[in-house]
Amino acid sequence: LANSFSANPNHSSLKLPDLSKTESRFLSWYDSAAPIALEHVALQDPLPYQEDSDQLASSNSDDENDDNGRQLDRRLVTYAAKAFPDELGSKNRAEKALKRGELLFNNIERVEGCRRIKRGDILTLKQSLPLPPPEKKLQARMNFIGHMLENGLRTLYEDDDIAAVYKPSGVHTKHASNFRYLAFEDALPAILTPPSSQIGSDRLPLPIAVHRLDVRVCGLVLVAKTRSAMISLSNQFEYRRVHKRYEALVIGRPEPSLNKETEDDDDVEKGSFLIDEPINVEGRGLLNAQTTLRVLSTIDHLHWGALSHVDLRPKTGRTHQLRIHCAGLGCPIVGDDLYWKMGDDSRQQQRNGKNVGEEEIVPLPSVRKGQGGLYLQSVGATFVHPRTGVEMTIEAPVANKFNMLLGRARRANEYDTKTAPAA
């Protein structure tokens, strides 16, 4: 079974909520929160994000290995960061939780972080409740949320466990990504409802975005409202079981070139092709990166040569993957000043490799800046619901700016055709 949900494509036609009611909903997350103590039985309970961690529990060896065959570090602070990835997530944060008395080892506070755990040891994490912003900061938060709502922030789907929310461009996804600015996560309590009392201690103190979109990218973001949903969705992302779909406007006519055709691939719609080009990730070197691309439409364009509307489906999740892969084809995304030169360099290489008589590949014009931003949007996600086990597809139609730019290009092309001198 599968469920599919689509949102209203025109957010500008939606009536904005009363900010006083928005503030009440925002504060309800803080009013309804209850203290939570999370427990993990070492080397028996599975580690979140480690699919084969049940093998760890059945092993009697002192040197446990993770699912990639690497030796598992069994020092308390290192193991606790893996046991509570959403609450701690790093050895440094685990050490601080130990010092504050929030991380307990067999119900003992403030033990040594280097202590080696053994099977059956119980780790307990006492979660402190988030405090609402003071009055002055609360007003600033409401102003920020009002601005976000005006720019399209809205709920696409919501239940007690998860939500799908439209993120406007221009903001970070995760809280405290930049301490000078508020983020998408900071606005979520104002538009989402706290889980019902039946959820109990599984509820998260505040909703959490399970994945990130670049600052300049708008569109659908999956959000967890319970701890079990957070772990389930994070595992699905970790093991590439969430199928994300993006749409973009790119310069030129993307062609398969030397990339693999995928018309016979059951996972890819006919007419798509695979971009299989590794991406250099700082500190990790070249990593495998794959994207399937399908051209939805192409319009001749006086300034750019051609403007193409494309469907993009990342098979991996490298930083800026879609932007790099499009630029690598010589077809950068409209408004992408960061990878525009890369796109022009790719065109130069293509020109050098062309045979005499083949269609000329023209250099890129100057990048379009400050006119609509980056034309890349997250438009869909397919995943398994953490509680029901039912596959879900949630979609968000592209923003109006896509259709407006395509419409202007189409009208200009029709005008040029009508006014062109007869041959």
Side-chain angles (χ1 to χ4, degrees):
L1 296 175
N3 289 335
S4 181
F5 300 87
S6 294
N8 189 324
N10 185 5
H11 76 261
S12 62
S13 66
L14 301 177
K15 183 179 180 180
L16 297 181
D18 183 344
L19 278 184
S20 62
K21 295 180 180 179
T22 301
E23 181 176 331
S24 298
R25 176 176 289 185
F26 178 86
L27 293 175
S28 70
W29 278 87
Y30 299 90
D31 295 338
S32 59
I36 299 173
L38 305 175
E39 281 195 353
H40 178 92
V41 181
L43 301 175
Q44 290 184 21
D45 291 343
L47 290 174
Y49 310 164
Q50 291 190 322
E51 193 174 52
D52 301 328
S53 56
D54 56 328
Q55 296 177 5
L56 302 179
S58 63
S59 171
N60 292 318
S61 169
D62 286 338
D63 295 324
E64 310 287 355
N65 293 332
D66 68 10
D67 53 318
N68 292 316
R70 296 169 298 203
Q71 185 171 332
L72 181 67
D73 189 339
R74 289 172 54 184
R75 289 175 296 170
L76 173 57
V77 290
T78 307
Y79 188 90
K82 290 177 167 38
F84 305 111
D86 303 316
E87 296 78 14
L88 299 178
S90 70
K91 186 171 68 174
N92 183 50
R93 292 178 67 180
E95 288 173 344
K96 290 180 179 179
L98 266 178
K99 291 179 181 178
R100 291 194 298 263
E102 296 172 357
L103 178 60
L104 281 62
F105 177 76
N106 293 330
N107 291 321
I108 303 172
E109 294 183 357
R110 298 180 175 86
V111 301
E112 303 86 354
C114 61
R115 186 171 296 197
R116 188 176 173 84
I117 66 164
K118 61 182 183 299
R119 189 180 312 283
D121 285 337
I122 299 175
L123 307 184
T124 304
L125 181 64
K126 297 187 294 185
Q127 287 191 291
S128 56
L129 296 178
L131 297 174
E135 185 174 349
K136 185 175 181 180
K137 289 189 175 182
L138 179 60
Q139 185 57 51
R141 182 76 62 91
M142 290 301 109
N143 291 340
F144 168 74
I145 292 168
H147 174 73
M148 292 277 282
L149 291 168
E150 290 174 357
N151 284 275
L153 175 71
R154 62 194 186 277
T155 304
L156 306 173
Y157 171 85
E158 183 180 13
D159 60 33
D160 265 349
D161 297 279
I162 65 169
V165 180
Y166 182 93
K167 169 195 167 298
S169 60
V171 292
H172 286 281
T173 304
K174 301 293 289 182
H175 167 74
S177 294
N178 185 322
F179 289 100
R180 295 177 59 191
Y181 303 105
L182 293 169
F184 167 76
E185 266 188 353
D186 296 314
L188 291 177
I191 63 170
L192 300 180
T193 304
S196 65
S197 57
Q198 296 177 343
I199 296 299
S201 62
D202 191 37
R203 67 158 283 180
L204 290 168
L206 293 173
I208 295 176
V210 184
H211 59 111
R212 299 172 187 262
L213 294 182
D214 290 345
V215 171
R216 298 182 64 190
V217 178
C218 62
L220 184 151
V221 176
L222 295 179
V223 175
K225 296 169 61 177
T226 64
R227 186 171 186 269
S228 57
M230 182 70 189
I231 292 173
S232 173
L233 289 174
S234 296
N235 275 327
Q236 291 183 58
F237 273 101
E238 180 79 10
Y239 296 102
R240 300 177 185 172
R241 291 172 183 156
V242 178
H243 302 290
K244 295 179 289 182
R245 188 171 73 83
Y246 293 75
E247 290 185 21
L249 297 184
V250 302
I251 307 302
R253 294 177 171 83
E255 296 179 355
S257 183
L258 299 178
N259 296 291
K260 177 185 174 185
E261 293 278 3
T262 57
E263 293 187 359
D264 297 329
D265 191 334
D266 292 338
D267 295 330
V268 181
E269 293 186 37
K270 186 175 181 180
S272 299
F273 63 87
L274 179 67
I275 305 170
D276 188 359
E277 295 292 339
I279 290 176
N280 190 14
V281 178
E282 186 177 356
R284 300 177 66 187
L286 282 175
L287 297 180
N288 174 50
Q290 295 182 328
T291 303
T292 59
L293 182 151
R294 181 166 64 95
V295 178
L296 302 175
S297 65
T298 299
I299 303 171
D300 289 334
H301 196 283
L302 182 63
H303 185 57
W304 293 326
L307 178 66
S308 295
H309 185 191
V310 298
D311 177 286
L312 299 165
R313 307 195 182 199
K315 289 178 170 287
T316 52
R318 311 304 178 200
T319 301
H320 295 177
Q321 174 176 316
L322 302 180
R323 298 166 66 179
I324 292 172
H325 276 171
C326 288
L329 294 175
C331 300
I333 297 172
V334 176
D336 194 355
D337 53 334
L338 182 60
Y339 294 106
W340 199 262
K341 185 179 185 304
M342 178 182 178
D344 201 29
D345 291 343
S346 297
R347 289 196 169 204
Q348 177 65 46
Q349 293 175 5
Q350 293 171 19
R351 285 199 301 275
N352 294 339
K354 279 286 185 181
N355 296 320
V356 176
E358 291 186 299
E359 182 181 352
E360 182 184 1
I361 300 175
V362 299
L364 284 174
S366 59
V367 64
R368 170 193 178 104
K369 290 185 178 180
Q371 301 179 46
L374 184 70
Y375 281 74
L376 174 64
Q377 179 181 325
S378 167
V379 297
T382 299
F383 58 97
V384 173
H385 192 282
R387 185 175 298 274
T388 66
V390 174
E391 185 178 87
M392 297 182 66
T393 297
I394 301 176
E395 296 183 338
V398 293
N400 290 336
K401 68 178 186 178
F402 283 72
N403 295 325
M404 290 173 64
L405 186 58
L406 286 169
R408 285 200 298 269
R410 191 174 292 110
R411 290 191 296 272
N413 189 47
E414 291 172 353
Y415 176 81
D416 290 340
T417 301
K418 290 178 182 179
T419 58

